[in-house]
Amino acid sequence: MSGPVRGSLERERRQAYWLVAPAVVVLAGVALYPILAAVWLSLHRFILVFGERRFVGLGNYAYLLGDARFWAALGNTAYFTAVAVTVELLLAVPLALLLQKSFPGRGLLRASVLVPWAIPTVVSARLWAWMFNPDYGLINRLLLGRDINWLGAPGYALHAAILVDVWKTTPFVALLVLAGLQGIPEDLYKAARVDGASPWRIFRSITLPLLKPALLLAVLFRSLDAFRVFDAIYVLTEGGPANTTETLSIYAYKTLMRSGDFGYGSTLSVATFLCVVVLAAVWLRLLGREERAR
Amino acid sequence: MRQRVGLGTALAVVAFLTFFLGPFFWQVLTSLWPDGELTRPWPSHLTWDSYASVLWGRPFLRVVVNSLVVAALTTGFCLVVGSAAAFALAKLEFRGKGLLLSAALAVSMFPPIATVSPLYLILRAVGLRDSLVGLALPYATFAMPLTLWVLTSFFKQLPDELYRAARVDGCTPFQAFRRVLLPLAAPGLATTAILVFIFAWNEFLFALTFLTTPEKRTVPVAISLFASEYREPWGEIAAASVVATLPLVVLTVLFQRRIVSGLTAGAVKE
């Protein structure tokens, strides 16, 4: 840096710390500290209403490993995440390609796809619950009198929840993909067209490989987000029927707030957190490898 | 480059529009559907009855005000704390910069449920459990990463020369931030404000957990607990949903460009 004299750099650094300090305090105080505190709570037998609280070491974790309901919830969460994110990508790529084209009404389409994204998840879950209504919901009406009990039948309910997630978040994924598409130089397409490549060939050999980092990033964001799903399922089914839609967040919430079991509830929360950390580590590694390869 | 609209494109546009907007229109129609006729395939006429009973028969307006208060508090707090930090991250040299941005990213990946039990105990201990202020605090944390990423990328776009010129003219870094760069970052602040506001308006888990009195509920909590003893009041739920959503839909359509640039700045750049 030219201009400013030596002492002023030191002063600048000091001011920088003052400027970021509040943000650091907020992040540490309301995110980092609670995580550590949750780990500490998970080492206790702690029932809130009885005021009972004693240290039990890893007892809760030993119980967790043998808890079939935990494993079922983990399975539901993983299934929900994998299917939802896959479907969202499969829909988002064509949507992004469409949004990149120029045609009359593109602005309108762009604005409209953001509508599901902006609607509160609770509201979209309510809206779909009404459409899933077995007696006079829109979906069974469109299926001409079929009476599928979408939210009440095991096997259907989790897929119904996935549909709600797909509806709500595909637009967001499409925007990330669109940003990736706009980073691909137009020249490459021109050259390919001059060489007489078919649209499908162009998509496969140019668009898809160059889009890979954007796709991986979208998968990272979306899978971490889908893995902590709570709102939609809580409103649609509260984890039912027969716990077939119970995800980790739902199970942890019920244990904490309905049973008042803060010890084991914290153990479930920490387990959810650890799963997310592992998932993030895997994706970030893949993403890093992709960056290095370029 | 202007292309001809092919049949395939047109069909795809119609399909996506139907999928994304159809359910919302069905909700609007349901909210205007006469109450006794929901079992019929089509309403005989449209009516505002559901809106009247939601707005005047229930404490719903109170709930809307609660949500406005929490969302405004969160947004204000994030902008004040976040803009100072984002300016420092974008324009000043100091150690730990990369660490701070990574930490913010890590926090944005936290599952909120992982922080619920300690936050509940803390808020209870300091007497902020059933309060809107107590809710805005954790909201601000979870919105802070977004704030930092979006605003930092906006401050980076402002030329360094502006900052240096202000310094040469005798401003301290803070004065350069407040008098010169902050006003120029206004579009970035607006974008951030919209995104944070939408986040806070929509949040559910913390609101469900930390608020106990019905009069203190926020919109998502009220809508999730909307039930009567005998049957689901679908018309009223639909009306409440439309009231809760309309401001967001208007905001989104008006500021579509800003929202898109903010979302992709927060997510894609770097």
Side-chain angles (χ1 to χ4, degrees), chain B residues 140-226:
Chain B
T141 314
F142 277 87
M144 193 57 76
L146 182 81
T147 310
L148 289 181
W149 282 87
V150 175
L151 279 180
T152 304
S153 96
F154 266 97
F155 274 114
K156 272 190 185 153
Q157 284 165 20
L158 299 177
D160 283 344
E161 286 75 33
L162 283 172
Y163 170 69
R164 274 183 222 152
R167 292 280 278 138
V168 170
D169 287 346
C171 285
T172 65
F174 181 72
Q175 286 167 336
F177 158 64
R178 223 181 46 106
R179 296 201 189 141
V180 181
L181 292 171
L182 193 60
L184 290 170
L189 294 175
T191 304
T192 313
I194 295 167
L195 292 174
V196 173
F197 189 90
I198 292 180
F199 161 83
W201 183 271
N202 293 354
E203 204 284 335
F204 178 58
L205 176 62
F206 288 154
L208 180 70
T209 317
F210 302 148
L211 302 174
T212 42
T213 347
E215 296 81 57
K216 295 224 171 112
R217 282 175 187 152
T218 59
V219 168
V221 178
I223 287 179
S224 82
L225 297 173
F226 230 115

Side-chain angles (χ1 to χ4, degrees), chain A residues 11 15 118 126 130 167 228, chain B residues 19 30 110 172 174 232 248:
Chain A
R11 184 178 169 175
Q15 286 219 348
R126 275 298 199 175
W130 166 233
W167 181 72
R228 55 193 178 190
Chain B
F19 180 58
T30 304
F110 278 10
T172 65
F174 181 72
E232 296 271 296
L248 298 196

Side-chain angles (χ1 to χ4, degrees), chain B residues 38-88:
Chain B
L38 277 168
T39 50
R40 300 194 359 193
W42 206 247
S44 63
H45 63 283
L46 300 178
T47 160
W48 294 101
D49 287 355
S50 295
Y51 288 90
S53 60
V54 160
L55 294 178
W56 317 125
R58 293 179 183 262
F60 193 69
L61 284 178
R62 175 70 189 270
V63 162
V64 170
V65 171
N66 290 344
S67 271
L68 280 173
V69 170
V70 184
L73 278 175
T74 310
T75 309
F77 188 75
C78 275
L79 286 186
V80 171
V81 171
S83 63
F87 157 75

Side-chain angles (χ1 to χ4, degrees), chain B residues 33 53 123:
Chain B
W33 202 301
S53 60
L123 291 176

